[in-house]
Amino acid sequence: MNDWWTDRKQNQQLSNLESEMSYARQEASSLRSQLSRVQGSLQSRVDSMSRAFDAFVELSDLRHETAGFVDAAELRRYASRVLSAMASSSEIPEAGAPVARYWLSPATQALISLHASTPDEQAISTAMELDQRRTSIYLSLALAVLGQRHQVQNEWLDVAFGVPAADGTLTRVQRVLWTTAARGGFGADGLELVVKRLQSAASPDGGWLSRLENRGSSSRSSGPRLKETEPQDDAANRLSRIRNAVETILGNTEAREPDPDLNYPETRKTDSTPDDAKSSRRKAKSSADADNEPAEDSAAAMLRLLISEGSEPERETLARIAVLRARVSGAAEPTAQALEDSAGTVDALLTEDLSLSADPHLSTAALHVVGPLVLPAVETVAQTAELPGPSQVSIGSGTHAITIRADGPDQLELGKATSSLTAAAGVMSTGQRATPIGLLVGGAVVAVGLGLLLHWFWILVGLVVMAFGLNSYVQLRRAINNDKTRAAGEVANLNERCTTAATALSNYLNNADARKTAIADDLTTIREQLTT
């Protein structure tokens, strides 16, 4: 008894020790996991601080390099303040010392003189000699966002836009010039210049007709159609949809006036805030300030990029400084932006603009570009729609073909087809009758012969066999009646099809003149809209 008790206590103690060891192992595992996370977090922080310190050291070195460009930095701030002052109709700030060999200095003076309607030809000429393309972009976009589109010269826009790449790819600045022209920033002549450049790069077989069709709806009635006239009907419906799309896009009156969103933002705190104040307020900017920033593909954003990229000697240094500042502050590194960044292909951008029902300026400009390209395909669709209708059509019924004319179906062919449908319907063959008759006769023989001669039980058997025969006969009669009903339905359906086809053909032929008039009207309207 004592040995049993001792063993029991020892087993209980061992069980308790095992539970404690399991708990200790779980705690140790949890501590190791927490320690690993802490070590990883500390290592990440150390690496981040190390990168920030290296960036700070490199940034300090680069600041020594930029010490010789203080006047250029001040000029960029001055150019931004000038744009904001012009946009808000406030007093133009006083100019600082001119910066030699920097196109922005004479370009800003040229902009001020143009805005005052007293062009400084010397300043314009000097800026063009220093950097013709950037000066052309700057003056064209600045005058557009300031509402001075009448002063934008086509020579500047021609140089600014350049020639699209051989593969149809446009740069970021070309896309901005395109959208600015579409929004009325350069006037009718400027838009025409951009449209011609885009037409030279757009694919002539880019599927523009189907894309234009998707914007419209057909006004044609959808009555009974004949298989023989499907090509003409489909072509007429397509022509109607194309006309509706063209009228919908070009009929939007909003696109006839410059887009109000094209204007340069009137205020921008960073344009007139000293550097010391900027650094102290940088972290206090609200989300509302960010919302006031212009869209990335807008003319205002392109002007700011053009100004902020710096002069040619300091351009790469300024881009590197922006990256280093982001590393020091722990922010995401800014994406390098340049004038020559790819904006996509002409075909892709035209497709996107053509579908923008919410942006009438871009969709209207896109239609002007693809109009001459899509017109030959429209002519082909109109030619198909104008094809003469058939004098007769045919309807199939099994192995028979029934000729349908405007005055009705061919009665002889219809009679043959009807006879073919009804001839074999409801006819009871000898083989079908054999089963029920055999069961009835056999049951009667069994009931009378065996039942009377041998035993009354055979009478019951005979009656059961006769019942099966009677049921088989009833089912056969029902099937025959159903077959007759089916055949009658098929005949009625065939007559209805023939009547419908004859009516459709008659209407088609009777309305031939009206249809040709409608097609000619659609084509004339489309031509006028796409060529004017």
Side-chain angles (χ1 to χ4, degrees):
M1 181 68 180
N2 291 335
D3 292 340
W4 176 83
W5 180 254
T6 301
D7 291 341
R8 186 174 181 277
K9 288 185 65 177
Q10 288 178 349
N11 290 336
Q12 187 174 4
Q13 291 174 354
L14 288 173
S15 178
N16 292 337
L17 286 173
E18 185 176 357
S19 298
E20 292 176 359
M21 290 179 65
S22 176
Y23 178 77
R25 283 194 296 269
Q26 292 178 358
E27 287 293 318
S29 176
S30 177
L31 288 173
R32 283 195 297 270
S33 177
Q34 292 180 7
L35 180 61
S36 175
R37 286 197 297 270
V38 170
Q39 288 176 342
S41 177
L42 289 175
Q43 184 63 40
S44 176
R45 292 180 181 179
V46 169
D47 292 342
S48 178
M49 292 179 64
S50 176
R51 287 194 299 270
F53 179 76
D54 293 341
F56 181 77
V57 173
E58 185 179 354
L59 186 59
S60 300
D61 295 337
L62 290 177
R63 280 176 175 169
H64 290 295
E65 295 183 13
T66 59
F69 299 101
V70 174
D71 292 339
E74 180 58 35
L75 172 61
R76 289 191 291 275
R77 286 190 288 270
Y78 170 70
S80 297
R81 290 196 297 271
V82 165
L83 282 172
S84 296
M86 289 179 178
S88 58
S89 300
S90 56
E91 185 178 354
I92 304 296
E94 293 185 4
V99 180
R101 309 302 303 168
Y102 190 4
W103 67 270
L104 186 60
S105 180
T108 303
Q109 297 306 314
L111 178 62
I112 294 173
S113 67
L114 288 167
H115 187 262
S117 299
T118 56
D120 187 343
E121 298 295 341
Q122 181 61 40
I124 297 174
S125 176
T126 302
M128 290 291 182
E129 290 177 359
L130 292 174
D131 196 322
Q132 186 182 19
R133 183 151 192 256
R134 281 180 169 79
T135 300
S136 299
I137 296 171
Y138 178 75
L139 292 179
S140 298
L141 290 178
L143 290 171
V145 299
L146 294 172
Q148 301 284 324
R149 59 178 181 170
H150 60 281
Q151 297 205 65
V152 178
Q153 298 183 18
N154 277 2
E155 292 80 4
W156 303 343
L157 190 56
D158 184 40
V159 173
F161 195 89
V163 179
D167 60 355
T169 302
L170 292 185
T171 63
R172 183 181 178 188
V173 68
Q174 286 174 325
R175 174 59 173 170
V176 171
L177 290 168
W178 172 1
T179 58
T180 303
R183 300 184 192 283
F186 304 137
D189 292 340
L191 177 59
E192 183 180 359
L193 186 149
V194 173
V195 165
K196 288 182 178 179
R197 292 295 172 85
L198 295 175
Q199 287 173 344
S200 67
S203 300
D205 55 348
W208 305 120
L209 188 64
S210 59
R211 293 187 176 99
L212 184 58
E213 254 185 276
N214 294 334
R215 283 290 306 270
S217 59
S218 175
S219 60
R220 306 286 185 193
S221 60
S222 56
R225 296 178 60 181
L226 299 171
K227 183 178 180 181
E228 288 79 0
T229 62
E230 280 184 0
Q232 295 95 316
D233 293 335
D234 290 341
N237 286 331
R238 292 185 67 189
L239 200 64
S240 179
R241 284 197 299 270
I242 295 167
R243 174 180 178 173
N244 178 262
V246 171
E247 290 180 334
T248 299
I249 295 174
L250 298 182
N252 194 320
T253 56
E254 293 182 26
R256 299 175 187 176
E257 298 294 334
D259 190 349
D261 293 338
L262 187 63
N263 296 336
Y264 193 83
E266 293 187 2
T267 59
R268 189 186 185 201
K269 295 181 180 180
T270 54
D271 292 340
S272 56
T273 305
D275 288 344
D276 294 340
K278 286 182 188 176
S279 59
S280 63
R281 298 175 191 173
R282 187 173 290 119
K283 293 184 179 180
K285 284 185 177 180
S286 64
S287 59
D289 294 333
D291 292 339
N292 290 331
E293 289 296 314
E296 187 175 326
D297 60 347
S298 66
M302 178 55 64
L303 282 170
R304 293 180 180 181
L305 174 61
L306 194 63
I307 293 172
S308 64
E309 69 171 357
S311 60
E312 187 173 356
E314 59 177 337
R315 203 164 291 157
E316 294 183 3
T317 302
L318 290 176
R320 182 61 180 169
I321 286 176
V323 174
L324 295 175
R325 281 177 175 171
R327 289 183 184 177
V328 171
S329 63
E333 293 189 10
T335 304
Q337 296 181 346
L339 303 181
E340 304 304 320
D341 290 343
S342 174
T345 63
V346 173
D347 288 355
L349 295 171
L350 281 173
T351 300
E352 179 183 352
D353 290 355
L354 203 58
S355 64
L356 293 176
S357 57
D359 196 329
H361 292 89
L362 292 184
S363 59
T364 300
L367 183 57
H368 284 310
V369 175
V370 304
L373 304 177
V374 82
L375 197 53
V378 174
E379 301 276 359
T380 302
V381 172
Q383 290 174 4
T384 303
E386 290 179 336
L387 290 176
S391 59
Q392 62 183 32
V393 297
S394 62
I395 288 180
S397 175
T399 59
H400 296 273
I402 305 169
T403 301
I404 307 294
R405 299 181 183 85
D407 56 352
D410 185 294
Q411 294 300 321
L412 180 60
E413 295 175 349
L414 179 60
K416 290 181 179 179
T418 302
S419 299
S420 175
L421 292 173
T422 58
V427 178
M428 187 183 300
S429 65
T430 304
Q432 290 175 320
R433 290 195 299 266
T435 299
I437 292 175
L439 290 174
L440 288 171
V441 172
V445 170
V446 170
V448 174
L450 297 180
L452 295 177
L453 296 176
L454 298 178
H455 195 275
W456 60 268
F457 172 76
W458 291 105
I459 297 176
L460 296 178
V461 173
L463 292 175
V464 170
V465 173
M466 292 175 66
F468 275 110
L470 181 61
N471 180 67
S472 176
Y473 180 76
V474 170
Q475 293 295 331
L476 179 60
R477 293 299 303 176
R478 183 177 293 127
I480 289 173
N481 290 334
N482 290 340
D483 193 30
K484 289 180 178 180
T485 303
R486 176 196 58 76
E490 289 183 357
V491 170
N493 182 54
L494 178 60
N495 287 326
E496 183 179 356
R497 289 171 58 200
C498 291
T499 302
T500 302
T503 303
L505 180 60
S506 176
N507 292 336
Y508 189 89
L509 296 176
N510 292 336
N511 295 331
D513 293 338
R515 187 173 59 257
K516 287 183 179 180
T517 301
I519 292 170
D521 185 50
D522 287 345
L523 183 59
T524 301
T525 301
I526 294 172
R527 282 174 181 163
E528 291 176 351
Q529 297 277 13
L530 295 183
T531 56
T532 56

